[in-house]
Amino acid sequence: MSKLRVRFAPSPTGFLHVGGARTALFNYLLARKSGGAFVLRIEDTDVARSTQESVDAILEGMHWLGFGCDEGPIYQSDRFELYGQKVKHLLEQGKAYRCYCSAEELQSKRDQAMADGGKPRYDGTCRDLTAAPEGRPFVVRFRSPREGSTVFDDIVKGPISFENDELDDLIIQRTDGTPTYNFVVVVDDADMQIDPVVRGDDHINNTPRQILLYQALGYPVPRFAHVPMILGPDKSRLSKRHGATSVMAYRDMGYLPEAMVNYLVRLGWSHGDDEIFTMDELIEKFSLENVGRSAGVFNPEKLLWLNAHYIKSGDPERLGTLLVDYLRSAGIDQSSGPELPAVARSLQERSRTMVEMAEDAAFYFCSEPEFDDATVMKFFTKENRSVIESLMRHLNNCSELTHESIEGAFKEAMEETGLKMGKLAQPARAALSGGSAKPGIYDILEVLGREESLRRLNRSLAFFS
RNA sequence: GGUCCCUUCGUCUAGCGGUUAGGACACCGCCCUUUCACGGCGGUAGCACGAGUUCGAUUCUCGUAGGGAUCACCA
């Protein structure tokens, strides 16, 4: 595959949402696969709505997901001079013209057209103006051809065609002299030699105008790949009301970036029946040819399943490191207690999110667990006292608590008491954790260690009837 | 409303003229079992509709219906 230059071009008016993240991912994979360049371009021509906080949030999201860019971030606000030159050229060539209609006039014309059942488009009032009014504010409009049609062969959607007379003369420069999106996106994609342009299919309707602009500017027209949108459960465009849409919100909810990447890539793309992909596999296997044409519903359940999968198969050392922040957020004092990797290892098979893991790890860090009435009633009975004592004796004989030594102790205790595993494990679990802690009982003992385990068991004795 | 796009289980999807329509999430049942999970096995469930083309349509064409996007001095 030849080297591709692709880009992700978010506008800094909010955080990185899952839709944008997927678009970024597709572009990133294409660049990595081809050994080409992934350009990050910040579309901040709307100075009023763009914020540095948003830029930072987007960068943070990209970093978390592991999408490193090769060029950028490039800010369009740094390139106004270039856009100004291009506008000037179009003006000189008569391919653009000044329009003196005010925003209010335009709006009322649109409203009128709508009321008459017509199309809300610019009527061309200033298109052929010969005498320019003096000193009045103006915008610059692109002189769009009124005949013919514009067609392109979308890489994912196939052939798409528009009649040119459906397109009106779009504004390329505002009254304040700043350029607008449809213009700068063309100048930049051409200037940065982006090909293919991979973006959300909400841009399909902009594409014919942009193609006309490429041609007017004398640029070669790139290929386009419009990827389907991500919808909410009600099939409407995914938004806040559907729940979390910010990528970083998922980190906060205990999701791993690889789970998010894996989920996002499968939403709209497939590789046979495969479900699990490492980033390296994605780079090797991803291709636009296998991107579907239809929109997809964001399914949190499947994301959760993938997250559980990655936690389950994750490196305990890493999970332990990640756990630090989640424990802190859960208000758990981790200053003393077991080693985090060991904690993570004991819980990774049963945690679907890191938040769950932190919550389920709480008992490890609570040296004096509270016993509720139900627990006392059920497990701390007269008969069970001897059970715990028996277990303590055999545990005490172990020099160190390992899976083997613990198993041995349990066997001996079972023999001594004549009880089955269940009768032994449950009271012990309650005594050690204060309730029905999730890890296997051997794991709890092993992670807690000999001294702490015996201390907790001994302490529980006081609560027996 | 105009334009454009889309349409296989509830959801994500495989399928690229002939298949018992496959997989995954979710759901249900059974097994495993020291709690909870994991895991294993099995199951429910789908080609929107109507015409064509064809010996044969989920697959190709055209309609219909439904859904979505877009029609800014936002991007």
Side-chain angles (χ1 to χ4, degrees), chain A residues 380-395:
Chain A
F380 295 177
T381 61
K382 197 174 293 177
E383 307 79 68
N384 277 352
R385 167 181 288 276
S386 56
V387 172
I388 296 295
E389 287 172 340
S390 169
L391 191 58
M392 284 176 67
R393 268 199 305 284
H394 293 106
L395 247 19

Side-chain angles (χ1 to χ4, degrees), chain A residues 300-369:
Chain A
E301 295 286 335
K302 188 154 185 180
L303 206 208
L304 187 59
W305 173 76
L306 278 164
N307 202 54
H309 167 81
Y310 282 106
I311 287 178
K312 208 176 307 168
S313 56
D315 171 25
E317 289 290 336
R318 173 185 171 227
L319 296 175
T321 303
L322 292 175
L323 200 50
V324 173
D325 284 342
Y326 293 102
L327 286 172
R328 185 180 302 125
S329 298
I332 294 165
D333 176 13
Q334 52 199 295
S335 55
S336 66
E339 295 295 315
L340 263 21
V343 169
R345 194 182 302 111
S346 78
L347 250 11
Q348 68 185 135
E349 188 131 324
R350 13 176 76 81
S351 303
R352 294 181 300 175
T353 70
M354 292 306 292
V355 168
E356 274 185 17
M357 185 184 283
E359 288 168 352
D360 293 337
F363 80 91
Y364 281 126
F365 304 93
C366 177
S367 62
E368 307 211 323

Side-chain angles (χ1 to χ4, degrees), chain A residues 96-102 105-106 109 122-130 133 136 138-139 141 143 146 169:
Chain A
Y97 61 92
R98 293 175 178 179
C99 170
Y100 298 87
C101 299
S102 71
E105 286 170 351
L106 260 18
K109 279 181 184 174
Y122 180 60
D123 62 0
T125 303
C126 303
R127 185 174 165 111
D128 299 309
L129 231 47
T130 44
R136 279 185 58 187
F138 62 88
V139 297
R141 283 183 189 272
R143 191 185 302 277
R146 289 177 160 168
D169 293 350

Side-chain angles (χ1 to χ4, degrees), chain A residues 61 150 259:
Chain A
T150 299

Side-chain angles (χ1 to χ4, degrees), chain A residues 79-98:
Chain A
R79 299 163 59 84
F80 280 1
E81 193 180 330
L82 169 66
Y83 309 136
Q85 282 171 15
K86 295 298 177 184
V87 169
K88 192 171 164 224
H89 288 158
L90 288 183
L91 240 19
E92 286 166 357
Q93 297 173 103
K95 291 176 175 173
Y97 61 92
R98 293 175 178 179

Side-chain angles (χ1 to χ4, degrees), chain A residues 262-316:
Chain A
N262 200 146
Y263 178 69
L264 254 20
V265 81
R266 280 285 291 109
L267 190 49
W269 173 82
S270 60
H271 185 268
D273 285 340
D274 299 346
E275 293 288 349
I276 307 293
F277 302 90
T278 62
M279 190 61 103
D280 284 345
E281 288 170 335
L282 288 179
I283 290 168
E284 181 197 330
K285 294 172 175 171
F286 184 80
S287 93
L288 290 174
E289 278 62 50
N290 292 314
V291 171
R293 301 117 309 228
S294 55
V297 173
F298 187 82
N299 183 351
E301 295 286 335
K302 188 154 185 180
L303 206 208
L304 187 59
W305 173 76
L306 278 164
N307 202 54
H309 167 81
Y310 282 106
I311 287 178
K312 208 176 307 168
S313 56
D315 171 25

Side-chain angles (χ1 to χ4, degrees), chain A residues 141-185:
Chain A
R141 283 183 189 272
F142 175 59
R143 191 185 302 277
S144 193
R146 289 177 160 168
E147 292 170 356
S149 59
T150 299
V151 303
F152 62 101
D153 193 11
D154 195 277
I155 297 171
V156 339
K157 303 273 189 178
I160 298 177
S161 106
F162 290 82
E163 291 302 315
N164 288 157
D165 64 11
E166 291 293 334
L167 280 19
D168 58 4
D169 293 350
L170 78 161
I171 292 171
I172 59 177
Q173 187 179 83
R174 303 186 182 90
T175 309
D176 66 4
T178 59
T180 60
Y181 166 74
N182 277 113
F183 182 68
V184 296
V185 73

Side-chain angles (χ1 to χ4, degrees), chain A residues 171-217:
Chain A
I171 292 171
I172 59 177
Q173 187 179 83
R174 303 186 182 90
T175 309
D176 66 4
T178 59
T180 60
Y181 166 74
N182 277 113
F183 182 68
V184 296
V185 73
V186 170
V187 172
D188 278 345
D189 282 338
D191 185 61
M192 298 171 193
Q193 300 175 59
I194 302 301
D195 185 31
V197 170
V198 181
R199 75 230 304 195
D201 71 7
D202 49 333
H203 286 286
I204 287 182
N205 291 306
N206 289 326
T207 307
R209 299 175 188 288
Q210 292 172 9
I211 288 173
L212 259 13
L213 244 14
Y214 275 99
Q215 292 167 341
L217 259 3

